[in-house]
Amino acid sequence: MNEIIEKIRAEFLQDSKAIKSLKDLEPFRVKFLGRKGLISSAFDRMGELPKEERPLFGKALNELKKELEAQYQELLNRFKRAEEKGHRLDLTLPGRKPFAGGRHPLLKVADEIKDIFRGLGFSIEDGPEIENDFYNFEALNIPKTHPARDMQDTLYITDDILLRTHTSPVQIRVMKRQKPPIQMIAPGRVYRRDTPDASHSPFFHQVEGLVVDEGITFADLKGVIQAFAHRMFGKDVKVRFRPSFFPFTEPSAEYDFSCVFCGGKGCRVCKNTGWMEISGAGMVHPNVFKAAGVDPEKYTGYAFGMGIDRIAMIKYAIDDIRIFFENDVRFLNQF
Ligand code: DAH
């Protein structure tokens, strides 16, 4: 008699351990407590016992039934609670970062460039992106007939109004409104009629530099570019100047930095030259001084250009300029 009771209890305990979720619980209940379950069947078989044992067995079976029902109820409550909790909050899941905007990599690099030049005593100047022919070309010693105008594919709005092709017109604007000494940079966006590819974009960003005073020489220009290179890319970067031509400077040069990827040994990025072309520079042409109302007999000066996109591409090892303007958050989130 007791054997039957103990067997059911043991089996109940055993099966209860295998229950993993609410849905395992119903077959479990049916097996033990259902209408044709083990307890019911035991009641049905009571008739097989000798008469005098039946009341005791009935009592014991009733107690077992109550006991198992209580345990079943407890299991049910426990799994219900677990399931609800699971729906509400799973503390083991990785957290979701709130989406926050940030500064565009080009703005970050522009800020860095500005900080470096501010530290060297330069002021930050600004000029319009929609320019007159006079500031963009004429005053920079590029007359209408000058073949140098072919160097830049210009986006014209009218015959006389255009989207500036470089930041050099800011030189003229500053010299017209301010007497030397002048020591300024002008960062900003410029436009050219270029078909986009990995190294061309119809708009990009430059920094113009201009220093005008009595006794300014090419050595000052070299010193400043060198100081910039060291602060931007580290003390090991070398600078070289190559003779070149720009209508607004004489003499003119292009300047390169030693490749920051291979240290000048030659690699894929610098096309095995060991050098990376940065931009142009030179001593301000007397015609430019005249157009801007500065006395070329009294003052000398140097000017330089610089590509912000180019510097950013070097700094972040990016090989396609278009990625800056696609606004792909997977790219932008990395900065
Ligand atoms: N304006 C030139 C360009 O867009 C860059 C440049 C070259 C600026 C020489 C200068 C300079 O001030 O002296 O490519």
Side-chain angles (χ1 to χ4, degrees):
M1 184 174 92
N2 276 339
E3 251 170 53
I4 298 174
I5 303 266
E6 283 318 315
K7 211 177 145 236
I8 295 176
R9 184 182 274 126
E11 200 170 335
F12 184 92
L13 187 71
Q14 184 69 30
D15 282 14
S16 71
K17 285 182 186 152
I19 293 169
K20 293 276 179 307
S21 70
L22 260 185
K23 70 178 189 315
D24 299 336
L25 217 52
E26 182 57 12
F28 173 77
R29 185 193 66 80
V30 171
K31 176 175 174 184
F32 292 94
L33 299 165
R35 266 196 303 124
K36 289 180 184 156
L38 291 181
I39 299 235
S40 272
S41 318
F43 273 119
D44 290 346
R45 290 178 58 195
M46 213 155 62
E48 296 166 20
L49 289 172
K51 239 188 182 138
E52 62 280 9
E53 286 182 21
R54 285 180 204 164
L56 261 182
F57 181 73
K59 193 169 174 253
L61 209 50
N62 258 325
E63 273 164 15
L64 178 68
K65 189 179 172 195
K66 271 192 202 133
E67 181 189 322
L68 297 195
E69 269 172 356
Q71 285 187 29
Y72 164 78
Q73 197 58 45
E74 207 171 286
L75 280 169
L76 184 68
N77 290 343
R78 180 163 17 119
F79 279 103
K80 267 190 178 158
R81 252 183 282 130
E83 206 125 308
E84 273 170 23
K85 223 181 192 170
H87 282 305
R88 259 186 284 134
L89 183 65
D90 182 349
L91 294 176
T92 64
L93 283 174
R96 266 182 233 138
K97 256 204 206 155
F99 187 82
R103 275 178 94 57
H104 193 279
L106 286 180
L107 282 179
K108 289 180 92 167
V109 170
D111 282 348
E112 219 175 305
I113 295 172
K114 284 193 262 181
D115 279 348
I116 291 172
F117 280 106
R118 244 190 242 114
L120 294 168
F122 284 69
S123 66
I124 315 287
E125 305 291 343
D126 202 6
E129 290 176 23
I130 298 172
E131 261 297 7
N132 298 324
D133 181 277
F134 173 78
Y135 289 102
N136 196 79
F137 291 129
E138 202 81 26
L140 288 161
N141 201 28
I142 318 173
K144 281 212 160 49
T145 54
H146 198 291
R149 290 205 182 190
D150 288 343
M151 282 163 60
Q152 294 166 341
D153 272 352
T154 308
L155 286 154
Y156 283 94
I157 294 167
T158 68
D159 274 355
D160 198 46
I161 300 172
L162 46 85
L163 296 181
R164 67 178 178 189
T165 58
H166 50 179
T167 44
S168 303
V170 186
Q171 291 184 27
I172 309 298
R173 292 183 173 273
V174 172
M175 284 191 279
K176 273 181 157 247
R177 67 171 177 244
Q178 185 190 322
K179 275 191 156 43
I182 292 167
Q183 189 168 10
M184 64 121 215
I185 58 161
R189 182 172 284 190
V190 302
Y191 301 83
R192 303 227 181 137
R193 273 192 51 206
D194 275 327
T195 305
D197 64 25
S199 51
H200 293 87
S201 160
F203 55 83
F204 53 100
H205 303 83
Q206 290 186 331
V207 177
E208 193 72 17
L210 175 73
V211 174
V212 181
D213 202 355
E214 291 177 44
I216 297 288
T217 70
F218 204 98
D220 298 313
L221 166 64
K222 287 183 96 171
V224 158
I225 296 293
Q226 182 93 49
F228 170 79
H230 285 170
R231 279 171 211 194
M232 192 74 210
F233 292 116
K235 276 267 173 277
D236 296 332
V237 172
K238 292 187 190 64
V239 178
R240 79 172 180 190
F241 285 75
R242 289 175 286 113
S244 186
F245 171 78
F246 295 98
F248 32 91
T249 42
E250 180 59 36
S252 299
E254 277 174 76
Y255 63 96
D256 308 331
F257 293 168
S258 59
C259 180
V260 299
F261 297 100
C262 62
K265 283 197 268 308
C267 67
R268 194 179 57 84
V269 180
C270 60
K271 299 191 186 81
N272 280 317
T273 61
W275 296 93
M276 299 182 303
E277 289 179 21
I278 303 298
S279 187
M283 299 306 289
V284 180
H285 196 289
N287 288 351
V288 173
F289 276 148
K290 278 181 215 155
V294 174
D295 181 358
E297 297 299 326
K298 188 168 177 202
Y299 295 107
T300 54
Y302 65 79
F304 59 87
M306 198 175 278
I308 299 178
D309 319 71
R310 175 122 182 86
I311 302 273
M313 286 168 81
I314 294 169
K315 186 178 161 80
Y316 297 124
I318 291 166
D319 59 8
D320 192 325
I321 189 173
R322 290 170 293 190
I323 200 165
F324 286 128
F325 311 120
E326 281 166 358
N327 284 333
D328 185 335
V329 284
R330 290 169 303 179
F331 168 71
L332 296 174
N333 267 343
Q334 296 174 47
F335 298 92

